[in-house]
PDB file of all heavy atoms in Angstrom:
ATOM      1  N   VAL A 294     -15.845  24.948 -14.872  1.00 96.00           N
ATOM      2  CA  VAL A 294     -16.110  25.026 -16.316  1.00 96.00           C
ATOM      3  C   VAL A 294     -17.400  24.267 -16.610  1.00 96.00           C
ATOM      4  O   VAL A 294     -17.788  23.381 -15.854  1.00 96.00           O
ATOM      5  CB  VAL A 294     -14.956  24.398 -17.142  1.00 96.00           C
ATOM      6  CG1 VAL A 294     -13.739  25.293 -17.163  1.00 96.00           C
ATOM      7  CG2 VAL A 294     -14.584  23.001 -16.627  1.00 96.00           C
ATOM      8  N   GLY A 295     -18.067  24.605 -17.715  1.00 97.00           N
ATOM      9  CA  GLY A 295     -19.300  23.891 -18.040  1.00 97.00           C
ATOM     10  C   GLY A 295     -19.999  24.514 -19.238  1.00 97.00           C
ATOM     11  O   GLY A 295     -19.466  25.399 -19.920  1.00 97.00           O
ATOM     12  N   LYS A 296     -21.223  24.048 -19.451  1.00 97.00           N
ATOM     13  CA  LYS A 296     -22.004  24.495 -20.612  1.00 97.00           C
ATOM     14  C   LYS A 296     -22.665  25.829 -20.284  1.00 97.00           C
ATOM     15  O   LYS A 296     -23.881  25.898 -20.059  1.00 97.00           O
ATOM     16  CB  LYS A 296     -23.086  23.460 -20.909  1.00 97.00           C
ATOM     17  CG  LYS A 296     -22.569  22.185 -21.548  1.00 97.00           C
ATOM     18  CD  LYS A 296     -23.768  21.388 -22.052  1.00 97.00           C
ATOM     19  CE  LYS A 296     -23.598  19.921 -21.863  1.00 97.00           C
ATOM     20  NZ  LYS A 296     -24.800  19.159 -21.976  1.00 97.00           N
ATOM     21  N   TYR A 297     -21.871  26.908 -20.268  1.00 97.00           N
ATOM     22  CA  TYR A 297     -22.421  28.200 -19.851  1.00 97.00           C
ATOM     23  C   TYR A 297     -22.629  29.182 -21.002  1.00 97.00           C
ATOM     24  O   TYR A 297     -23.614  29.888 -21.037  1.00 97.00           O
ATOM     25  CB  TYR A 297     -21.527  28.835 -18.779  1.00 97.00           C
ATOM     26  CG  TYR A 297     -21.453  27.989 -17.527  1.00 97.00           C
ATOM     27  CD1 TYR A 297     -20.243  27.445 -17.094  1.00 97.00           C
ATOM     28  CD2 TYR A 297     -22.598  27.704 -16.788  1.00 97.00           C
ATOM     29  CE1 TYR A 297     -20.183  26.646 -15.963  1.00 97.00           C
ATOM     30  CE2 TYR A 297     -22.549  26.910 -15.655  1.00 97.00           C
ATOM     31  CZ  TYR A 297     -21.334  26.381 -15.239  1.00 97.00           C
ATOM     32  OH  TYR A 297     -21.287  25.597 -14.139  1.00 97.00           O
ATOM     33  N   TYR A 298     -21.686  29.257 -21.934  1.00 98.00           N
ATOM     34  CA  TYR A 298     -21.778  30.284 -22.985  1.00 98.00           C
ATOM     35  C   TYR A 298     -22.175  29.685 -24.323  1.00 98.00           C
ATOM     36  O   TYR A 298     -21.576  28.692 -24.768  1.00 98.00           O
ATOM     37  CB  TYR A 298     -20.440  31.019 -23.124  1.00 98.00           C
ATOM     38  CG  TYR A 298     -20.233  32.054 -22.037  1.00 98.00           C
ATOM     39  CD1 TYR A 298     -19.495  31.749 -20.909  1.00 98.00           C
ATOM     40  CD2 TYR A 298     -20.801  33.321 -22.140  1.00 98.00           C
ATOM     41  CE1 TYR A 298     -19.311  32.686 -19.902  1.00 98.00           C
ATOM     42  CE2 TYR A 298     -20.632  34.269 -21.133  1.00 98.00           C
ATOM     43  CZ  TYR A 298     -19.888  33.947 -20.019  1.00 98.00           C
ATOM     44  OH  TYR A 298     -19.718  34.870 -19.021  1.00 98.00           O
ATOM     45  N   GLY A 299     -23.145  30.357 -24.965  1.00 98.00           N
ATOM     46  CA  GLY A 299     -23.707  29.813 -26.204  1.00 98.00           C
ATOM     47  C   GLY A 299     -23.203  30.481 -27.471  1.00 98.00           C
ATOM     48  O   GLY A 299     -23.797  30.308 -28.524  1.00 98.00           O
ATOM     49  N   TYR A 300     -22.113  31.269 -27.408  1.00 98.00           N
ATOM     50  CA  TYR A 300     -21.573  31.865 -28.641  1.00 98.00           C
ATOM     51  C   TYR A 300     -20.614  30.897 -29.317  1.00 98.00           C
ATOM     52  O   TYR A 300     -20.288  29.840 -28.740  1.00 98.00           O
ATOM     53  CB  TYR A 300     -20.882  33.209 -28.355  1.00 98.00           C
ATOM     54  CG  TYR A 300     -19.849  33.180 -27.248  1.00 98.00           C
ATOM     55  CD1 TYR A 300     -18.587  32.601 -27.437  1.00 98.00           C
ATOM     56  CD2 TYR A 300     -20.124  33.739 -25.996  1.00 98.00           C
ATOM     57  CE1 TYR A 300     -17.644  32.582 -26.437  1.00 98.00           C
ATOM     58  CE2 TYR A 300     -19.182  33.727 -24.989  1.00 98.00           C
ATOM     59  CZ  TYR A 300     -17.943  33.145 -25.208  1.00 98.00           C
ATOM     60  OH  TYR A 300     -17.024  33.111 -24.211  1.00 98.00           O
ATOM     61  N   GLU A 301     -20.146  31.257 -30.509  1.00 98.00           N
ATOM     62  CA  GLU A 301     -19.242  30.375 -31.255  1.00 98.00           C
ATOM     63  C   GLU A 301     -17.995  30.059 -30.402  1.00 98.00           C
ATOM     64  O   GLU A 301     -17.307  30.979 -29.943  1.00 98.00           O
ATOM     65  CB  GLU A 301     -18.810  31.071 -32.563  1.00 98.00           C
ATOM     66  CG  GLU A 301     -18.109  30.133 -33.508  1.00 98.00           C
ATOM     67  CD  GLU A 301     -17.571  30.840 -34.753  1.00 98.00           C
ATOM     68  OE1 GLU A 301     -17.592  32.085 -34.792  1.00 98.00           O
ATOM     69  OE2 GLU A 301     -17.110  30.118 -35.657  1.00 98.00           O
ATOM     70  N   GLY A 302     -17.745  28.802 -30.166  1.00 98.00           N
ATOM     71  CA  GLY A 302     -16.596  28.400 -29.339  1.00 98.00           C
ATOM     72  C   GLY A 302     -16.914  28.377 -27.852  1.00 98.00           C
ATOM     73  O   GLY A 302     -16.069  27.980 -27.035  1.00 98.00           O
ATOM     74  N   GLY A 303     -18.136  28.819 -27.475  1.00 98.00           N
ATOM     75  CA  GLY A 303     -18.510  28.852 -26.050  1.00 98.00           C
ATOM     76  C   GLY A 303     -18.680  27.445 -25.478  1.00 98.00           C
ATOM     77  O   GLY A 303     -18.905  26.471 -26.208  1.00 98.00           O
ATOM     78  N   GLY A 304     -18.571  27.349 -24.152  1.00 98.00           N
ATOM     79  CA  GLY A 304     -18.636  26.053 -23.476  1.00 98.00           C
ATOM     80  C   GLY A 304     -19.927  25.291 -23.747  1.00 98.00           C
ATOM     81  O   GLY A 304     -19.919  24.061 -23.830  1.00 98.00           O
ATOM     82  N   TYR A 305     -21.053  26.026 -23.902  1.00 98.00           N
ATOM     83  CA  TYR A 305     -22.314  25.327 -24.180  1.00 98.00           C
ATOM     84  C   TYR A 305     -22.200  24.556 -25.499  1.00 98.00           C
ATOM     85  O   TYR A 305     -22.527  23.369 -25.580  1.00 98.00           O
ATOM     86  CB  TYR A 305     -23.475  26.326 -24.236  1.00 98.00           C
ATOM     87  CG  TYR A 305     -24.783  25.660 -24.559  1.00 98.00           C
ATOM     88  CD1 TYR A 305     -25.510  25.021 -23.562  1.00 98.00           C
ATOM     89  CD2 TYR A 305     -25.258  25.631 -25.873  1.00 98.00           C
ATOM     90  CE1 TYR A 305     -26.696  24.367 -23.863  1.00 98.00           C
ATOM     91  CE2 TYR A 305     -26.436  24.972 -26.178  1.00 98.00           C
ATOM     92  CZ  TYR A 305     -27.155  24.349 -25.169  1.00 98.00           C
ATOM     93  OH  TYR A 305     -28.308  23.701 -25.477  1.00 98.00           O
ATOM     94  N   ASN A 306     -21.686  25.276 -26.511  1.00 98.00           N
ATOM     95  CA  ASN A 306     -21.567  24.647 -27.837  1.00 98.00           C
ATOM     96  C   ASN A 306     -20.585  23.470 -27.802  1.00 98.00           C
ATOM     97  O   ASN A 306     -20.829  22.434 -28.416  1.00 98.00           O
ATOM     98  CB  ASN A 306     -21.087  25.667 -28.872  1.00 98.00           C
ATOM     99  CG  ASN A 306     -22.036  26.844 -28.983  1.00 98.00           C
ATOM    100  OD1 ASN A 306     -22.788  27.116 -28.049  1.00 98.00           O
ATOM    101  ND2 ASN A 306     -22.015  27.539 -30.103  1.00 98.00           N
ATOM    102  N   LEU A 307     -19.481  23.638 -27.073  1.00 98.00           N
ATOM    103  CA  LEU A 307     -18.497  22.546 -27.005  1.00 98.00           C
ATOM    104  C   LEU A 307     -19.098  21.351 -26.263  1.00 98.00           C
ATOM    105  O   LEU A 307     -18.905  20.199 -26.656  1.00 98.00           O
ATOM    106  CB  LEU A 307     -17.220  23.018 -26.294  1.00 98.00           C
ATOM    107  CG  LEU A 307     -16.480  24.199 -26.934  1.00 98.00           C
ATOM    108  CD1 LEU A 307     -15.272  24.603 -26.099  1.00 98.00           C
ATOM    109  CD2 LEU A 307     -16.037  23.858 -28.353  1.00 98.00           C
ATOM    110  N   GLY A 308     -19.844  21.652 -25.195  1.00 97.00           N
ATOM    111  CA  GLY A 308     -20.495  20.580 -24.426  1.00 97.00           C
ATOM    112  C   GLY A 308     -21.462  19.800 -25.297  1.00 97.00           C
ATOM    113  O   GLY A 308     -21.560  18.572 -25.217  1.00 97.00           O
ATOM    114  N   MET A 309     -22.185  20.518 -26.182  1.00 97.00           N
ATOM    115  CA  MET A 309     -23.142  19.838 -27.059  1.00 97.00           C
ATOM    116  C   MET A 309     -22.421  18.943 -28.068  1.00 97.00           C
ATOM    117  O   MET A 309     -23.021  18.039 -28.636  1.00 97.00           O
ATOM    118  CB  MET A 309     -24.022  20.862 -27.807  1.00 97.00           C
ATOM    119  CG  MET A 309     -24.934  21.655 -26.891  1.00 97.00           C
ATOM    120  SD  MET A 309     -25.858  20.651 -25.706  1.00 97.00           S
ATOM    121  CE  MET A 309     -27.145  20.001 -26.754  1.00 97.00           C
ATOM    122  N   ARG A 310     -21.139  19.200 -28.291  1.00 97.00           N
ATOM    123  CA  ARG A 310     -20.359  18.326 -29.194  1.00 97.00           C
ATOM    124  C   ARG A 310     -19.749  17.140 -28.432  1.00 97.00           C
ATOM    125  O   ARG A 310     -18.983  16.371 -28.976  1.00 97.00           O
ATOM    126  CB  ARG A 310     -19.240  19.134 -29.868  1.00 97.00           C
ATOM    127  CG  ARG A 310     -19.755  20.142 -30.867  1.00 97.00           C
ATOM    128  CD  ARG A 310     -19.120  19.954 -32.242  1.00 97.00           C
ATOM    129  NE  ARG A 310     -19.254  18.608 -32.780  1.00 97.00           N
ATOM    130  CZ  ARG A 310     -18.381  18.014 -33.586  1.00 97.00           C
ATOM    131  NH1 ARG A 310     -17.299  18.656 -33.968  1.00 97.00           N
ATOM    132  NH2 ARG A 310     -18.564  16.793 -34.022  1.00 97.00           N
ATOM    133  N   GLY A 311     -20.012  17.073 -27.123  1.00 96.00           N
ATOM    134  CA  GLY A 311     -19.606  15.884 -26.365  1.00 96.00           C
ATOM    135  C   GLY A 311     -18.330  16.009 -25.558  1.00 96.00           C
ATOM    136  O   GLY A 311     -17.878  15.022 -24.982  1.00 96.00           O
ATOM    137  N   VAL A 312     -17.737  17.216 -25.520  1.00 98.00           N
ATOM    138  CA  VAL A 312     -16.517  17.312 -24.708  1.00 98.00           C
ATOM    139  C   VAL A 312     -16.889  17.132 -23.232  1.00 98.00           C
ATOM    140  O   VAL A 312     -18.024  17.362 -22.827  1.00 98.00           O
ATOM    141  CB  VAL A 312     -15.762  18.661 -24.890  1.00 98.00           C
ATOM    142  CG1 VAL A 312     -15.454  18.935 -26.335  1.00 98.00           C
ATOM    143  CG2 VAL A 312     -16.533  19.799 -24.255  1.00 98.00           C
TER     144      VAL A 312
END
Side-chain angles (χ1 to χ4, degrees):
V294 286
K296 286 192 218 164
Y297 298 118
Y298 282 97
Y300 52 75
E301 191 185 9
Y305 178 81
N306 301 23
L307 300 178
M309 294 312 282
R310 291 235 54 211
V312 306

